[in-house]
Amino acid sequence: MEHGKHVFRIVILVVVILTVVLLARGFLVPKTYGLYGRYRGANVGEQMNIRPVMHGGAAACADCHGDQAAKRTAGAHKNVSCEICHGPLGAHVKADGTVVKPPIDRSFTLCARCHRKVAARPAKFPQVDLDQHVNGPVEGKVCLQCHDPHSPKP
Amino acid sequence: MSDCHDGCNGSRREFLSGTLKLAGGAVVTVIGGAALASSGSAAGTGAPLPGGGDYDWNEHLWAYLVDTTKCIGCGSCARACKAENDVPEGFFRTWIERYVVGMDDSHVDSPNGGMDGFPPVQVGFVATKAFFVPKICNHCRATPCTQVCPVGASYRTKDGAVLVDIDSCIGCGYCVQACPYGSRFIHPATHTASKCTWCYHRITKGLKPACVTVCPTQARQFGDLKKDGDPVRAVVEHDRIQILQGHLLTEPQCYYTHLDKEVR
Amino acid sequence: MPEITGFSFPNDIHVTWSLMIVMYPYITGFVAGSFIVTSLYHLFDRQEFKPVARLAMATSFAFLLVASLPLQLHLGQPQRGPFVIITPNFTSAMAGFGILYSFYLLVLVLELWFVWRQEIIDRARRSRGMVRAFYAALALGTYDTSPEAIEIDHKAIKILAGIGLPAACMLHGYVGFIFGAIKANPWWSTPLMPVIFLLSAAVSGIALLILIYQLFARIDRRPVVATCVSALASWLWFFLILTITLEELELIVMAYEKSESWLIISELLTTRLSFSYVTMQMIVGGLIPFILLAVVVLMNRYLHERVRNTLATIAAFLTLIQVFSMRWNIVIGGQLLSKSLRGLRSPYEPEIFGREGVLMAIALFVAPFVILWIFDRVLGIEEPEGAGGHGSPPAGQASAGTPAVTHVP
């Protein structure tokens, strides 16, 4: 193959390029890639602490607000988590311990989200037909004038 | 494998034969060999627990359960999710659908994912039943989304959560296309894929996902299939349960009871 | 906010795959298509394609250099693009693409080098100084143009073309696979998808060569070889028939089966895609060029050369539109449809400026022609006069000892 010199050279060139690419690749693969599977293993741990826990649950609220909690758990709203109406605990008690007053939503829309009569709600669930409520239509009126959200009665 | 350069040893070949049961595998064998060589895969055995804390992902297998008859469509779950996970406006990690169904026609909606609750709706047919269906990532066992991720940025953990590594995600959007449930989206700020994590930062600390924590009617439940006496496990084991789009064989780990045929 | 008819899953209202993902199969199609043409000459000895064989190979190369750009531009994190090669996940069709692309690029560059080696050496001998050093480096420092060396070149070209053709077909078949293997989307999920993509790649490649062959000939004031144009036209006709048949069969099967998705897909085609599918893909880009090419092929003998070239040119131009519409309807159409199979979103309108905009798409389409021009300046696309001439096989080719294959597909 005295005339195949150029073929030999190009083959060497290709092998060199491939080797360089493969070697370079080796340096670029993240350290924990492949630790548990075809992904960066360290990410699992990162995901566990990806952001602070915002919702503490009703029990966490009861630590400070025992009286409200006792009242609520005795009534019809016993399963309604505090954070549904007052927002997440994480926005109320910050990570550094500072306390921010949570919003107190007294609006009609808050109550209507659960209790306005909508066909798709389970029939047993207490719902209000706004056109025929007590003294006629009540759209937009403040429910809290008559109902106590921590211990509501029909 | 003729041009396998630097020593293809037997064990690596065995590993390859396992991973290359896929279209086009043959073409990429050469580079695949090198890929594994450099990643030095221990494939899980003897590797330290992720996170370094007390949580052992080998002891759990999470599952989600939805009882559609209990959902009142208040949208607290979707709002809690947004607050817990900082979900961008107009995108949803969980949402609630409303079905209004008659003998001849059906109507489905989900205004703003159900975040603001549901206003009454007028339909142009005689509705005979209506119900809400909460939706969430199904955390499929045979997940089509992680299958298509070209860089291994999305994966399923040992305890059953499907996650996205936003530091590896290239933002190609292939997983968004591959998810049959519309659970994924490209985050408008990070330009990477985003989705429900079952609040992995909560469940690994012994808490429930935010949506389950706030649900006032226990329509949403979260449980551990590896734990004896777990209520979700009991339902999955003994009751008649349904999954979404079962014909696609994605093996969802989000189970439903009392699902209607209209729900896809 | 896009408007929704029916019900879409709330995350399904975004078109995640933009115009760039339409450009990606479009450009990759030219790579595969023009390689098929060059293979018809280099591999199957179809002499009528000799005038375009080198042009086709250079075209394939020029488009290949651009082919990965639309993907790169589309990525949310473009700087992480190389991860596809660094940490490939082999269950992903897209990771396979990265590797196939690199492999095909390697094969094509090698084949180009063997085909143009004599030319490189000639230029190295003719020039001096820096220019000479450049060509000498390109020639890898060996100036062997003895008949034996040329003989070796021809063998290498044959082998590389033999590897390159399946690689090119795989490359584009894979693009179809990326869509066809998505079971979540009924408008994409069909095993026909890779085949349709491959056939329409052949259509677009041949159509493009009809156009640029005549264009380049006119610029260089060379005569257009009639047999070459009519051969290209008949192959274009053949592939166009196959493509459109399969495109229609896919729909007919879906409609006849009354598959669960047909309801929404028929609505998609008749409302959102009525212009781009029915008008452009089927009538303007399908039926009309089919008729024009039928005239060119069936009445070849009776046509004046200029009439034939004009008809072929118009047909080629229209089929380019057909193929673009097909890419658009697949990529964009598939995203207008929600996976709830209950809703369609309003049509997608690409941005004009910006990374994934219309201007970028035009730039991507023009870039290969700039590359071709540079290629022509550096290496010369056309064979220099006296090195074979039109119609007669080059010395090496004839003595290569391979029987001429005259019947392809």
Side-chain angles (χ1 to χ4, degrees):
Chain A
M1 287 289 279
E2 59 176 305
H3 294 286
K5 206 167 158 195
H6 63 289
V7 179
F8 181 70
R9 288 198 180 178
I10 192 117
V11 168
I12 292 289
L13 182 68
V14 168
V15 169
V16 167
I17 291 173
L18 278 182
T19 313
V20 169
V21 168
L22 288 180
L23 285 179
R25 222 194 117 270
F27 288 105
L28 292 168
V29 174
K31 235 184 225 154
T32 57
Y33 186 86
L35 189 59
Y36 307 116
R38 290 206 156 270
Y39 55 93
R40 197 169 57 86
N43 184 248
V44 183
E46 289 164 24
Q47 293 274 359
M48 291 179 185
N49 300 301
I50 200 160
R51 53 173 58 87
V53 169
M54 291 295 284
H55 288 79
C61 305
D63 285 348
C64 299
H65 305 281
D67 47 339
Q68 301 281 41
K71 189 177 174 191
R72 187 181 58 81
T73 48
H77 271 177
K78 59 176 180 291
N79 287 324
V80 181
S81 169
C82 316
E83 290 164 312
I84 293 181
C85 306
H86 297 292
L89 179 62
H92 170 45
V93 183
K94 299 281 183 191
D96 57 6
T98 55
V99 176
V100 181
K101 198 172 160 58
I104 297 180
D105 190 350
R106 294 179 199 280
S107 71
F108 160 80
T109 48
L110 176 78
C111 306
R113 271 205 288 262
C114 295
H115 293 292
R116 161 185 262 178
K117 189 164 182 62
V118 173
R121 294 206 216 278
K124 283 181 295 185
F125 187 77
Q127 298 167 63
V128 176
D129 187 342
L130 298 174
D131 291 336
Q132 299 166 17
H133 190 55
V134 195
N135 306 317
V138 288
E139 176 97 24
K141 293 225 176 111
V142 178
C143 315
L144 304 189
Q145 283 172 3
C146 306
H147 303 278
D148 178 359
H150 290 124
S151 180
K153 312 238 159 23
Chain B
M1 293 290 281
S2 58
D3 30 1
C4 187
H5 303 293
D6 36 357
C8 292
N9 59 47
S11 65
R12 201 190 304 156
R13 280 195 187 184
E14 277 169 33
F15 194 99
L16 274 172
S17 65
T19 38
L20 291 179
K21 284 181 289 178
L22 50 112
V27 218
V28 298
T29 308
V30 177
I31 302 189
L36 285 163
S38 50
S39 61
S41 170
T45 47
L49 289 179
D54 316 329
Y55 181 78
D56 184 354
W57 67 348
N58 296 305
E59 292 170 0
H60 304 277
L61 188 58
W62 303 111
Y64 203 92
L65 180 68
V66 176
D67 184 347
T68 55
T69 59
K70 288 183 180 166
C71 181
I72 58 167
C74 64
S76 301
C77 44
R79 281 196 307 284
C81 177
K82 199 145 273 200
E84 183 75 36
N85 295 298
D86 199 15
V87 183
E89 188 65 35
F91 297 87
F92 301 89
R93 289 186 177 201
T94 184
W95 66 94
I96 306 101
E97 294 168 3
R98 167 168 59 186
Y99 288 75
V100 181
V101 184
M103 295 297 278
D104 309 314
D105 208 347
S106 61
H107 167 90
V108 188
D109 63 357
S110 181
N112 196 22
M115 287 240 304
D116 313 319
F118 288 81
V121 67
Q122 297 293 321
V123 290
F125 56 90
V126 182
T128 53
K129 57 182 169 183
F131 48 88
F132 293 109
V133 179
K135 290 279 186 83
I136 192 173
C137 168
N138 285 271
H139 294 269
C140 308
R141 219 175 268 201
T143 160
C145 54
T146 66
Q147 180 189 24
V148 301
C149 177
V151 297
S154 189
Y155 57 92
R156 183 168 178 265
T157 60
K158 288 225 172 91
D159 44 357
V162 177
L163 304 176
V164 180
D165 175 359
I166 61 162
D167 295 322
S168 300
C169 177
I170 59 174
C172 67
Y174 204 5
C175 56
V176 179
Q177 308 292 357
C179 173
Y181 308 100
S183 302
R184 285 176 171 250
F185 55 90
I186 295 293
H187 195 292
T190 63
H191 307 292
T192 53
S194 185
K195 66 180 287 297
C196 162
T197 62
W198 269 346
C199 285
Y200 202 67
H201 63 293
R202 296 174 61 88
I203 61 174
T204 49
K205 296 185 180 80
L207 300 165
K208 305 261 183 209
C211 51
V212 176
T213 305
V214 300
C215 180
T217 60
Q218 281 78 54
R220 293 170 175 253
Q221 292 182 65
F222 190 67
D224 187 347
L225 298 183
K226 281 192 179 171
K227 197 170 123 197
D228 289 328
D230 185 279
V232 170
R233 173 173 154 173
V235 173
V236 174
E237 269 183 325
H238 303 297
D239 285 0
R240 288 155 205 214
I241 48 169
Q242 289 129 311
I243 46 171
L244 295 174
Q245 303 197 44
H247 64 284
L248 293 179
L249 305 180
T250 59
E251 299 178 46
Q253 295 304 294
C254 177
Y255 296 97
Y256 285 82
T257 54
H258 309 290
L259 206 58
D260 190 80
K261 71 170 175 60
E262 292 290 327
V263 183
R264 194 182 153 80
Chain C
M1 283 293 276
E3 268 177 52
I4 307 295
T5 328
F7 170 67
S8 286
F9 290 144
N11 291 326
D12 268 1
I13 64 172
H14 309 277
V15 171
T16 307
W17 280 358
S18 66
L19 179 61
M20 285 301 119
I21 305 295
V22 179
M23 291 308 289
Y24 150 65
Y26 194 52
I27 288 177
T28 319
F30 293 125
V31 176
S34 39
F35 197 84
I36 289 171
V37 175
T38 193
S39 298
L40 285 174
Y41 171 74
H42 281 120
L43 209 53
F44 300 105
D45 280 332
R46 305 287 303 199
Q47 289 303 321
E48 62 269 36
F49 291 115
K50 186 163 189 298
V52 289
R54 282 163 67 111
L55 176 64
M57 197 181 286
T59 306
S60 185
F61 175 68
F63 276 92
L64 186 66
L65 289 187
V66 180
S68 69
L69 282 183
L71 277 183
Q72 190 69 31
L73 284 163
H74 163 72
L75 291 185
Q77 298 283 348
Q79 80 286 359
R80 294 183 192 159
F83 280 15
V84 176
I85 301 284
I86 296 168
T87 54
N89 174 28
F90 296 124
T91 59
S92 169
M94 216 178 265
F97 174 80
I99 284 149
L100 260 179
Y101 176 89
S102 319
F103 178 71
Y104 179 67
L105 182 66
L106 177 69
V107 172
L108 186 61
V109 167
L110 287 179
E111 191 176 352
L112 277 172
W113 188 74
F114 280 110
V115 171
W116 264 271
R117 206 174 64 86
Q118 258 181 291
E119 183 71 24
I120 294 169
I121 292 167
D122 285 349
R123 290 192 185 220
R125 283 179 177 145
R126 268 187 276 132
S127 50
R128 344 169 152 264
M130 286 296 287
V131 183
R132 190 191 178 105
F134 169 73
Y135 284 109
L138 268 190
L140 296 181
T142 54
Y143 288 10
D144 190 351
T145 49
S146 62
E148 290 88 349
I150 300 293
E151 175 74 0
I152 290 172
D153 283 357
H154 283 297
K155 273 188 187 148
I157 292 168
K158 207 72 162 181
I159 293 169
L160 287 167
I163 303 170
L165 184 60
C169 291
M170 286 288 283
L171 182 72
H172 203 69
Y174 231 108
V175 178
F177 181 85
I178 283 179
F179 296 95
I182 293 298
K183 62 183 172 187
N185 192 324
W187 180 225
W188 292 346
S189 172
T190 156
L192 277 182
M193 201 56 89
V195 186
I196 294 176
F197 267 75
L198 193 52
L199 290 171
S200 66
V203 169
S204 68
I206 297 169
L208 184 75
L209 281 169
I210 291 180
L211 294 181
I212 57 177
Y213 170 57
Q214 298 188 67
L215 183 73
F216 278 37
R218 192 153 296 176
I219 291 171
D220 292 353
R221 295 177 193 286
R222 277 180 291 106
V224 171
V225 181
T227 50
C228 182
V229 174
S230 58
L232 283 169
S234 45
W235 281 85
L236 179 60
W237 194 49
F238 172 68
F239 279 114
L240 185 69
I241 292 171
L242 284 184
T243 307
I244 296 192
T245 309
L246 287 188
E247 285 172 10
E248 288 310 288
L249 269 177
E250 185 201 338
L251 281 190
I252 292 166
V253 170
M254 223 186 277
Y256 190 81
E257 274 186 343
K258 296 194 174 69
S259 66
E260 66 166 335
S261 46
W262 174 244
L263 214 64
I264 193 78
I265 286 175
S266 59
E267 193 187 332
L268 174 75
L269 293 178
T270 49
T271 59
R272 302 298 195 268
L273 300 184
S274 62
F275 176 72
S276 58
Y277 188 85
V278 181
T279 311
M280 297 316 282
Q281 188 178 338
M282 283 303 140
I283 299 172
V284 175
L287 187 63
I288 296 176
F290 167 76
I291 295 168
L292 294 179
L293 291 167
V295 172
V296 172
V297 174
L298 300 175
M299 301 172 63
N300 195 11
R301 269 189 292 171
Y302 312 106
L303 292 178
H304 185 275
E305 194 181 323
R306 197 186 254 172
V307 175
R308 183 173 53 218
N309 289 355
T310 310
L311 286 179
T313 305
I314 296 170
F317 180 73
L318 292 177
T319 50
L320 284 186
I321 295 177
Q322 198 273 346
V323 175
F324 183 81
S325 310
M326 176 264 186
R327 312 297 198 224
W328 175 276
N329 291 327
I330 300 275
V331 177
I332 302 299
Q335 297 175 86
L336 298 182
L337 155 101
S338 170
K339 290 158 189 161
S340 67
L341 303 189
R342 282 175 175 276
L344 297 175
R345 59 154 274 166
S346 49
Y348 159 77
E349 280 164 15
E351 50 179 5
I352 304 292
F353 306 98
R355 203 156 56 111
E356 302 188 52
V358 175
L359 290 180
M360 185 58 87
I362 294 170
L364 283 174
F365 187 74
V366 173
F369 295 97
V370 177
I371 297 173
L372 267 183
W373 180 78
I374 296 171
F375 193 103
D376 193 35
R377 296 298 297 266
V378 175
L379 294 175
I381 289 172
E382 283 310 309
E383 235 168 316
E385 288 301 317
H390 298 307
S392 65
Q397 195 77 37
S399 59
T402 328
V405 182
T406 41
H407 296 287
V408 222

